Amino acid sequence: MADWRPDSWRGRPAAQRVAYDSVVELVQALAELSSLPPLVTSWEVEALKRQLAEAAMGRRFLLQGGDCAERFDECTPRIITNRLKILLQMSLVLVHGSNKPVIRVGRFAGQYAKPRSEDFETRDGVTLPSWRGDLVNRPGFTADERRADPRLLLRAYERSALTLNYVRALVRGGFANLHNPENWDLDFAQHSPAAAEYHDIARHVTEALAFTENVLGVHAGEMEWVDFFTSHEGLHLDYEGAQTHRAPPSERWYNLASHFPWIGMRTADPDGAHVEYFRGIANPIAVKVGAGMSPATVVKLVEILDPDDEAGRLTLIHRLGRTRIGECLPPLIDAVRSTGRRVLWCCDPMHGNTFTTAAGTKTRHFDDILGELEQAFAIHRSHGGYLGGVHFELTGEDVTECLGGARNLRDVDLARAYRSEVDPRLNYEQALELAMRITRFM
Ligand code: PEP
Ligand code: CO
């Protein structure tokens, strides 16, 4: 790593680069950012890496989920609590169904930057820069809102800290305690078609826990249940680099803005800036793998990003789509096996299944999401491996952004509560139902 620095990526072509009009303001913001306390610690990061190493061996299961894009104005106690509740409920269902400990990783406390397919957007003859997430600019269609503002980097850091502070307080304060899963019920969920089955599972788990503790005299490890980790797409390399520090005990370089950053599909060029940056950090990292990525490219990425075959280091999140996974996944599995490295395979069944309705709304169908997952479990199994995790875009809110599910949301329902500025999320009921359905494939 002698040739690596937190800014050595500057020598490489960076996709999705943000154009700031004041370099002075940018440099000031980055200097301030790098002087502030880290959001996470290297000890937590290493603990997650050990857990991911176990997931890669089939002994744990990774649940990663949250919004496509977090919003500054959604940093509210209700939204944070509801998101935590749905992730806790899903993890309980997965623990029960798989008989494995579940690693809970939120797509939160830093998921503020979005890759865009177009740099500019034109409306009624007016062209402005695209919205790239609250980290960069604002979604309103005015020149002022769309200007890339370096001060937003600091606002994003602060919102991340506020979110993480509240999550840590809830989790440590007993909210996440497995003895009280009733804390995780959402008010509007009582009439959910999945509610009865969920409550059965919750009762089973609490009874099993009570049995173990009372009859066998074993106390469930509290820590085991309350771990929660953060992740986001490491897209904005100035932002990520400013929060990259040498940290004990190994004195390696860590990205301390998040436990588990990932490289998005649009920035996964092996010769590009993002791969160069990620190569040098000691965090566990993930890469999104789309249907357009060749097995040869995946091999290159594995060799660059995990040269020492470090346990827990690399997760590959495939997002191939229900119709493509059958043809694309087997060659990818074979290619990775040929490298001799052990990676953790995770399935994102969201991003390969997005389509636009006749009315122009971006959506996904529950059946496509479930269908891709079913195939993912089966293909890994038939190739002598395992799917070790799932990656979802979801919310604890009662939105109508994805179609289908037990309530069978249809095109006409989307208009009722569609709030995402970017990708459509599973709502609370759809997310819980999905967790129940996939335990049948595990
Ligand atoms: C995302 O996770 O929101 C995303 C943009 O995904 P991908 O990089 O897989 O397209
Ligand atoms: Co998305």
Side-chain angles (χ1 to χ4, degrees), residues 68 107 114 351 364 393 423:
C68 181
R107 257 180 88 111
K114 294 311 297 175
H351 288 87
R364 296 159 172 158
E393 285 184 344
D423 289 338

Side-chain angles (χ1 to χ4, degrees), residues 349-363:
M350 314 297 294
H351 288 87
N353 292 312
T354 316
F355 66 95
T356 305
T357 65
T361 311
K362 211 174 171 189
T363 191

Side-chain angles (χ1 to χ4, degrees), residues 68 107 114-115 233 262 264-266 288 319 351 393:
C68 181
R107 257 180 88 111
K114 294 311 297 175
E233 178 174 351
W262 78 82
M265 190 191 71
R266 290 168 189 75
K288 293 280 205 95
R319 28 91 83 225
H351 288 87
E393 285 184 344

